[in-house]
Amino acid sequence: ESRWRGAGCCNDFSIGIEKVIDGIHIDDPSAIKMVSVSTTLATNAIAEGKGKRVALLLIGIGLGIGASVTFASSTIMNAAPPERGGMAASIEEVGFELGNSLGVAVFGSVMTAAYAMSLVLPEVGGDLPATVRDSLDEALLVADSLRPEAGAALRDAGRAAFSGALQAVLIGIGLLWFATGALQGALLKIDLSW
C-alpha cells in the first residue's frame, strides 16, 4: 500500500500521482503547502471530469501570457540604448521575478484567508483540530482519521471551500490585469518625458 493516500478520488490519475509522490520520497505530504494554481486547477478538473475544457482554458492563458511577456521584453529592450542593453535586461528580469514572487505571496495569502473564512465545518460528533482551516491537505488528512460519514462530510466541505478560494483568487487576478491595463492606458495619455 502507498505511504500516501489521496483524497478518496478513484480516478486512474490518482495511481500515477501516488507513484510520483512515492518516487520522490516525500515522508510527510502535509509539509507541502503551496502548489501552482494551474496544476491545482488542472488536477481538480481531471478529478471532476472537466479536463478538456480546463486544458483549453490553460492553453489560452499560457499563449496570452507568453505573447505578453515576449511583447513586454521586446519593448523594454528596444527602448534602451544599445550601450545600456545589459542593464535593461537586468531590470527587466528583476521586475519579472519580483512580480512573480509578490503575486505568489499576495494571492497565496488571499487564497489561504478565503479558504479559512469560507470553510463551513460539518458536525462530526466532536471537535476538529484548528489545522483543518489551514489548508485543504490538512482537512483531508484529518478526514482520513474520522468515521467514514464524518470524513466524507469534511472532505466535501474542504473541497467546496478550496473551490471558492480558488475562484476568489482567479477573480482577483482578473481584476489586477484589468486595473493594470487601465493604468497603462491612462499613462499613455500623460506626457512622462521629464
Side-chain angles (χ1 to χ4, degrees):
E1 182 177 350
S2 174
R3 291 182 290 127
W4 184 79
R5 290 192 327 247
C9 176
C10 52
N11 195 315
D12 290 340
F13 291 106
S14 65
I15 297 168
I17 292 169
E18 284 185 8
K19 287 182 180 179
V20 168
I21 291 172
D22 285 342
I24 56 176
H25 308 294
I26 297 174
D27 294 324
D28 182 13
S30 67
I32 301 171
K33 296 293 181 190
M34 186 165 275
V35 295
S36 167
V37 171
S38 63
T39 303
T40 303
L41 182 59
T43 303
N44 287 349
I46 290 168
E48 295 172 4
K50 300 175 185 171
K52 291 178 184 174
R53 284 188 284 164
V54 172
L56 289 174
L57 174 69
L58 292 176
I59 289 169
I61 290 172
L63 290 173
I65 290 172
S68 298
V69 169
T70 301
F71 178 74
S73 179
S74 296
T75 302
I76 291 167
M77 294 307 295
N78 287 334
E83 64 274 5
R84 297 195 181 251
M87 184 171 52
S90 297
I91 291 171
E92 171 198 8
E93 185 61 28
V94 168
F96 286 143
E97 294 299 329
L98 180 62
N100 287 335
S101 299
L102 288 174
V104 168
V106 168
F107 286 111
S109 298
V110 167
M111 188 161 180
T112 300
Y115 173 81
M117 290 188 302
S118 65
L119 180 63
V120 178
L121 295 176
E123 294 294 326
V124 295
D127 290 335
L128 292 171
T131 58
V132 297
R133 290 198 179 276
D134 291 346
S135 64
L136 177 59
D137 64 324
E138 292 291 337
L140 295 176
L141 288 171
V142 170
D144 285 342
S145 68
L146 300 174
R147 295 182 332 273
E149 304 84 29
L154 181 57
R155 281 186 200 92
D156 290 343
R159 288 185 184 121
F162 181 82
S163 179
L166 183 60
Q167 288 176 5
V169 166
L170 293 175
I171 288 169
I173 291 169
L175 291 173
L176 180 62
W177 282 357
F178 179 77
T180 301
L183 177 64
Q184 184 63 33
L187 290 174
L188 289 174
K189 295 177 183 176
I190 298 172
D191 182 17
L192 294 178
S193 58
W194 302 342

